[in-house]
Amino acid sequence: MMRCQRDASQLCFLGLLLLAELLYAAGLGVNELLYFRILSPEDIGYIFSAAPARDFGGDFTCSYDEIFLVPAEPPNGCSELKNKELIEDQVVLVERGGCSFVQKTRIVEEAGGKAVLIADNASDNDSQYLDMITDGTADRPSIPALFLLGRDGMMIRRSLQRHSLPWAVISIPVNVSSLASFPLQQPPWTLW
């Protein structure tokens, strides 16, 4: 997978072809988990898992070594985002509820976000992934949309609030099969 620069705005056709070949060769389906690592703040410096949307949204065509994970304002991401200036070319964290997964993804895409992580609004959910499916509309956002466990979303937001930070710095996606220390880098509150 290609590495993207933080300010890269164009997709590379060669990268798309390479990604398609890798996914085909690996036999990965749309319901496989994707991983990301929080680099900062350090108190949540773990590797998290997220489930890609089942039938809408795009795929990551490159990896981001350092990109911001910006919590949406309003948190449910169901109306125009008030912190649009922070969201452009970044990954956005929204909460489940209030509108469809497709609508949340479209709003983030229209604000210029590179991808959206939709955290379950059940903050005690530390093991149950939901299938994010279309809402019956013809709307098909093209940015990656991922479902994040509620406990993970809550812990990320809580850490950002505690440190008075507007975002976390993350790497996404992360290939965990190449990390010998992967089991030691998982959140201690999540069942794996």
Side-chain angles (χ1 to χ4, degrees):
M1 186 174 292
M2 296 176 28
R3 297 212 187 281
C4 292
Q5 295 178 7
R6 283 194 61 225
D7 59 355
S9 62
Q10 58 185 358
L11 297 176
C12 177
F13 180 69
L14 183 59
L16 288 172
L17 287 176
L18 178 62
L19 178 64
E21 288 176 18
L22 289 172
L23 290 175
Y24 179 75
L28 298 177
V30 292
N31 291 325
E32 297 292 326
L33 295 178
L34 186 135
Y35 299 89
F36 67 96
R37 176 186 301 200
I38 294 189
L39 305 172
S40 171
E42 290 182 15
D43 64 327
I44 53 168
Y46 301 110
I47 295 175
F48 295 84
S49 60
R54 190 167 52 147
D55 55 6
F56 69 91
D59 296 318
F60 283 94
T61 57
C62 51
S63 62
Y64 297 92
D65 288 331
E66 290 185 9
I67 191 167
F68 296 145
L69 175 61
V70 182
E73 186 55 46
N76 70 8
C78 290
S79 58
E80 185 175 348
L81 300 174
K82 297 175 184 172
N83 57 342
K84 214 175 192 175
E85 70 285 348
L86 299 176
I87 287 172
E88 190 166 347
D89 294 326
Q90 308 306 324
V91 178
V92 181
L93 176 65
V94 301
E95 283 184 13
R96 177 179 172 215
C99 63
S100 73
F101 295 125
V102 171
Q103 185 177 350
K104 293 172 187 296
T105 305
R106 173 59 69 206
I107 288 170
V108 168
E109 183 174 47
E110 289 173 354
K114 292 276 189 189
V116 61
L117 292 173
I118 301 172
D120 195 353
N121 54 0
S123 61
D124 61 340
N125 178 9
D126 60 5
S127 62
Q128 185 66 40
Y129 291 95
L130 296 182
D131 276 340
M132 296 193 306
I133 58 172
T134 61
D135 57 7
T137 65
D139 204 7
R140 293 291 187 268
S142 62
I143 63 171
L146 307 163
F147 184 80
L148 182 64
L149 296 173
R151 171 92 27 104
D152 292 347
M154 178 200 60
M155 297 301 278
I156 292 168
R157 277 193 239 58
R158 185 181 288 172
S159 176
L160 294 177
Q161 290 169 349
R162 187 173 43 252
H163 295 291
S164 300
L165 295 171
W167 57 67
V169 179
I170 67 170
S171 292
I172 191 168
V174 172
N175 179 359
V176 295
S177 64
S178 67
L179 299 174
S181 61
F182 172 60
L184 302 174
Q185 296 177 356
Q186 300 166 15
W189 57 84
T190 302
L191 300 174
W192 290 79

